[in-house]
């Protein structure tokens, strides 16, 4: 039940984020004197609508975002005579840039506000986390129940008895190099007797012999248990840092700057993730760094809600807003960045013509740009479909 609630809430959060993106376009258009005919949340058949002033507001059956109909977004739009002077394509370049960037700015603002809420309520995670194979808390070894819970245990565990310490970075497990916690776990669990860890501690390389204990472990989702070796360690992790209302603003600003960098890095890596998504679809291991669809993101939202990790829920929603804003900056039609590129081209072209004593040129003919637009839509649609299939057949598992 909690999973379903989290799933629905996250899907609603995505819808609100996209709807506010369109609000960013609408409000800036209205503020700069342009006419907005319609603003709707969703697509498909109309459920209801009402008119306020010259704009029709409404809700449609499929809550998959929204749209804002600004008069004369391109010279191809049909206009009534009284709308001609308020057509978007006839406005000053700065006004058009403000309107086209309004949606992007709205997503960035919403992401920032979510980060502020996160900083005050749950704390901001640290990006300078320890290495993946750094050891965290050391304890006794607990047996696992079939439902995934663990039984109480007392005393020290094998790792403690061997002299391992929090912060030790494991480089090898019985001669096998490991670079991720998953590899560390797998190599540790397969040992059948005493073995050695090669670790780094305070700049020194040490070899530590360990005698594991045999325990039962059960797969997530149920199934037969299997006996594996365990030493009683968890991965190291720096706890989030909480802030008060005053200190949260600058902290959120710095955190948002880091998020921008990581978001644009992820955006640049999207073409490289096609093969990883295909591997996931065809039965291979899912790379946790691959993109997710709306369904996949909502599923993550449900899982975090189910475990009571509402801070992670908010962080993922904030990350999605940063991604939506960054993605729309791309200078490709029909994205906002494509329209911005057209405006900048017309401004530079007309400035150069003015230096030569020529009148401004005609608006860009969007019909000539349609082939490139169709290519991007087809490729983007195929990418989204591949991501959706991967999220259905082989979803990312955070837990």
């Amino acid at each position: 039940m909690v999973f379903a609630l989290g799933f629905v809430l996250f899907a609603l959060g995505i819808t609100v984020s996209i709807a506010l993106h369109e609000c960013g376009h609408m409000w800036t258009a209205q503020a700069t004197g342009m006419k907005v005919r319609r603003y709707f949340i969703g697509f498909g058949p109309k459920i209801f609508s009402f008119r306020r002033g010259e704009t029709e507001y409404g809700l449609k059956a499929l809550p998959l975002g929204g749209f804002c109909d600004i008069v004369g977004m391109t010279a191809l739009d049909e206009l009534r005579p009284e709308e001609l002077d308020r057509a978007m394509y006839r406005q000053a370049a700065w006004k058009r840039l403000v309107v086209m960037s309004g949606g992007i700015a709205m997503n960035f603002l919403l992401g920032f506000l979510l980060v502020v809420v996160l900083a005050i309520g749950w704390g901001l995670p640290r990006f300078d986390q320890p290495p993946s194979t750094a050891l965290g808390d050391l304890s006794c070894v607990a047996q696992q129940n079939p439902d995934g819970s663990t039984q109480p245990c007392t005393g020290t565990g094998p790792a403690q008895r061997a002299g391992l310490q929090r912060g030790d970075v494991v480089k090898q497990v019985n001669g096998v190099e490991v670079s991720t916690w998953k590899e560390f776990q797998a190599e540790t669990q397969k040992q059948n007797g005493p073995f050695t860890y090669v670790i780094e501690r305070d700049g020194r390389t040490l070899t530590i012999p360990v005698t594991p204990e045999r325990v039962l472990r059960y797969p997530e989702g149920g199934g037969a248990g299997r006996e594996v070796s365990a030493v009683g360690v968890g991965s190291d992790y720096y706890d989030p840092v909480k802030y008060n209302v005053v200190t949260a603003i600058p902290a959120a600003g710095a955190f948002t700057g880091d998020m921008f960098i990581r978001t644009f890095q992820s955006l640049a890596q999207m073409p490289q993730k096609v093969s990883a998504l295909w591997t996931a679809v065809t039965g291979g291991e899912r790379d946790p760094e691959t993109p997710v669809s709306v369904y996949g993101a909502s599923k993550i939202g449900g899982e975090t809600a189910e475990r009571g990790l509402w801070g992670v829920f908010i962080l993922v929603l904030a990350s999605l807003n940063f991604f939506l804003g960054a993605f729309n900056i791309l200078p490709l039609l029909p994205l906002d960045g494509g329209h911005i590129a057209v405006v900048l081209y017309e401004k530079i072209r007309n400035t150069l013509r003015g230096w030569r004593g020529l009148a401004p040129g005609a608006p860009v003919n969007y019909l000539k740009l349609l082939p490139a637009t169709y290519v991007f839509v087809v490729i983007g649609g195929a990418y989204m479909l591949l991501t959706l299939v991967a999220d259905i057949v082989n979803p990312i598992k955070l837990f």
Side-chain angles (χ1 to χ4, degrees):
M1 183 64 183
V2 178
F3 172 85
L5 175 63
F7 186 98
V8 172
L9 284 177
F10 199 91
L12 181 61
I14 295 175
T15 300
V16 170
S17 298
I18 299 175
L20 286 175
H21 174 99
E22 296 301 325
C23 279
H25 293 311
M26 178 179 66
W27 291 334
T28 50
Q30 292 171 335
T32 52
M34 302 179 200
K35 180 179 179 180
V36 179
R37 292 195 189 107
R38 295 179 298 160
Y39 171 81
F40 273 78
I41 296 176
F43 297 96
K46 181 170 68 175
I47 297 178
F48 75 89
S49 69
F50 63 91
R51 181 170 293 278
R52 178 170 295 174
E54 60 189 10
T55 304
E56 180 186 10
Y57 301 87
L59 177 68
K60 297 205 170 188
L62 301 176
L64 302 175
F67 67 91
C68 173
D69 177 17
I70 303 173
V71 166
M73 283 193 65
T74 74
L76 300 176
D77 290 356
E78 293 185 5
L79 304 172
R80 295 195 294 269
E82 66 272 17
E83 295 176 333
L84 191 61
D85 289 339
R86 299 178 66 191
M88 182 174 176
Y89 78 90
R90 293 171 61 91
Q91 306 303 309
W94 71 267
K95 291 185 178 181
R96 296 165 66 191
L97 290 174
V98 167
V99 173
M100 295 316 305
S101 60
I104 297 171
M106 182 61 72
N107 283 130
F108 287 155
L109 175 61
L110 183 56
F112 173 76
L113 292 177
L114 287 170
V115 170
V116 172
V117 172
L118 180 65
I120 297 172
W122 292 269
L124 297 179
R126 292 174 54 174
F127 288 119
D128 58 335
Q129 291 294 327
S132 298
T133 57
L135 303 183
D137 292 333
L138 283 69
S139 66
C140 56
V141 174
Q143 294 285 347
Q144 189 179 41
N145 297 315
D147 62 0
S149 62
T150 55
Q151 301 175 14
C153 68
T154 58
T156 58
Q160 291 170 304
R161 294 194 293 268
L164 290 167
Q165 301 175 10
R166 185 186 184 106
D168 288 344
V169 179
V170 179
K171 293 297 185 180
Q172 293 181 14
V173 179
N174 212 29
V176 178
E177 292 189 1
V178 293
S179 58
T180 67
W181 188 257
K182 188 173 183 178
E183 292 173 350
F184 166 81
Q185 279 187 313
E187 291 300 322
T188 297
Q189 289 180 349
K190 69 173 59 171
Q191 305 305 317
N192 289 315
F195 65 99
T196 59
Y197 285 132
V198 174
I199 66 165
E200 285 187 357
R201 177 190 298 169
D202 299 329
R204 297 176 296 155
T205 299
L206 304 174
T207 300
I208 307 292
V210 185
T211 301
E213 295 179 13
R214 302 294 286 178
V215 294
L216 281 176
R217 291 290 182 259
Y218 294 87
E220 185 178 356
R226 63 189 181 96
E227 192 177 62
V228 300
S229 288
V231 295
V233 295
S235 60
D236 200 6
Y237 179 75
Y238 295 153
D239 291 329
V241 180
K242 292 187 70 172
Y243 299 86
N244 59 39
V245 176
V246 176
T247 58
I249 302 299
F255 187 86
T256 297
D258 289 332
M259 288 291 290
F260 277 165
I261 295 173
R262 291 170 179 268
T263 299
F264 282 105
Q265 287 174 341
S266 298
L267 195 60
Q269 294 170 0
M270 281 185 66
Q272 305 170 22
K273 298 298 183 180
V274 172
S275 61
L277 285 169
W278 182 253
T279 298
V281 168
T282 54
E285 186 177 352
R286 179 71 183 268
D287 180 356
E289 298 298 323
T290 49
V292 293
S293 63
V294 171
Y295 168 80
S298 299
K299 186 174 182 296
I300 291 173
E303 290 174 349
T304 56
E306 187 176 38
R307 289 164 172 80
L309 302 175
W310 292 103
V312 178
F313 182 98
I314 291 175
L315 178 60
V316 175
L317 188 56
S319 301
L320 179 69
N321 273 276
F322 291 134
F323 179 81
L324 286 174
F327 185 72
N328 270 284
I329 290 176
L330 293 178
L332 299 167
L333 291 170
L335 301 178
D336 296 337
H339 292 286
I340 290 173
V342 169
V343 174
L344 293 175
Y345 165 76
E346 290 181 350
K347 179 63 176 178
I348 294 172
R349 180 202 61 188
N350 291 339
T351 299
L352 295 177
R353 288 177 65 88
W355 289 348
R356 294 159 55 194
L358 301 175
V364 165
N365 186 351
Y366 274 75
L367 288 176
K368 294 182 178 179
L369 300 176
L370 281 180
T373 303
Y374 289 148
V375 169
F376 175 73
V377 169
V378 169
I379 294 176
Y383 195 102
M384 291 174 62
L385 180 61
L386 179 63
T387 303
L388 175 61
V389 173
D391 286 336
I392 294 173
V393 304
N394 193 356
I396 290 176
K397 297 178 180 178
L398 293 184
F399 307 100

